[in-house]
Amino acid sequence: MLGELPAPPAPGTAGCPKHMEYGPCGGVGSTGRCEVADHACSFLTLAPVAWHGSPAASDEHARMEADPAGAPSPPRAAQRLRDLMREHPIVVADFPARALDGASLAECAAAVAGSVDAVLAGDAGTARVQFPPAYRATLLRHAGVEPWMGVNARDRNRVALEGEAAALAHADAAGVHCITGDHTRIGSRPDAAPVFDLDSTELAALMAGAGHLVSVAEAPLSPPVDARPGRLLVKQQAGAEVCFVNHAGGAANVATFVGQARALGVSLGFIPCVPVIVDAGSAALIRGFTSLALPEGYLDVILAAKDVRAAGIRAAIDLSLRMLDIPGVVGVDLSGGAAAGRELDFARAEAEIAQGIRERVS
Ligand code: SF4
């Protein structure tokens, strides 16, 4: 596999376009190619890097004292969500509202409120400019849903992220999902400078230090596959409590990954992604996810059905139930997004799936 690709300029951080300390990211191609550069991923042949904190980005000494900050005040919603996960499996839904659109946010939140336990609202390749996470968390909470907010390390440095951590706690965010983020060369804003002062593991530590319930992502089928469970253990050591498992081709693959991670000592809760496809637009959108692997025939069967929406809802419920049977799994994430103009219908479909799961689980 590696022999067919140019070797990375240097192994580890120096050769990684995202300057990752705890790579690799989830965007490694199936051949081992870097997500954005024309060479092998710099971490492809390295063992997971042991947790050693977040190195400073510069050797400079501070030229003035920082104002003393008060002790972090953990959001109360985080503990509520922890308690909920102990009581029963939870259903989280990727939040489909249009970016920068308060009205769309309110109507999509109303559609899923009372059906899902939390909404996961984060980055989108087609809409890199979003309301800042803490502001969006405030809007979502006012709209009646528990906000589980995605934060990436691509667009802001550690200073801005520390401010965001405090604001998210003030906004009473239920969870904070920490990702390194796609490179700017992927998605709608390649004109922007990539930051990557931290990576997802370092960001997890920062958010955990602020008292948040921290989730991270792991992509079981992204090379180097054998290193993925060990890399998750490092994220747990940094402070993560939950792992969203990227689309990995079905329940059997997820079970294998979760089993391997637990055998290494990973004790965090697993929330596998379940693809939601209810029309041609949502199918096209999910095909654009990095490291996507759907169960064999999943997409074709849904799209060939007379009633695509009903088939998509049925398939998502069935797959969710199989995921919830896996030891260590504490919930599912209804994953995907809507084509432009279809956001509300997508949210309604998510609510129907969540209700269907509840009826069968209870
Ligand atoms: S695939 Fe990701 S981790 Fe690997 S070198 Fe490229 S950007 Fe860095």
Side-chain angles (χ1 to χ4, degrees), residues 8 12-13 15-20 22-29 32-37 39-44 180-181 183 196 223 228 231:
T13 302
C16 169
K18 297 182 184 175
H19 319 298
M20 291 187 74
Y22 299 95
C25 67
V28 187
R33 186 184 185 278
C34 172
E35 178 183 287
V36 285
H39 57 65
C41 169
S42 304
F43 292 89
L44 202 57
T180 302
H183 198 280
F196 299 121
R228 293 285 165 187
R231 184 163 182 263

Side-chain angles (χ1 to χ4, degrees), residues 326-347:
I326 301 169
V329 166
V330 298
V332 290
D333 173 44
L334 307 181
S335 168
R342 304 288 300 162
E343 295 84 5
L344 181 56
D345 186 61
F346 191 88

Side-chain angles (χ1 to χ4, degrees), residues 107-121:
E107 66 180 11
C108 288
V112 297
S115 298
V116 305
D117 296 295
V119 295
L120 182 62

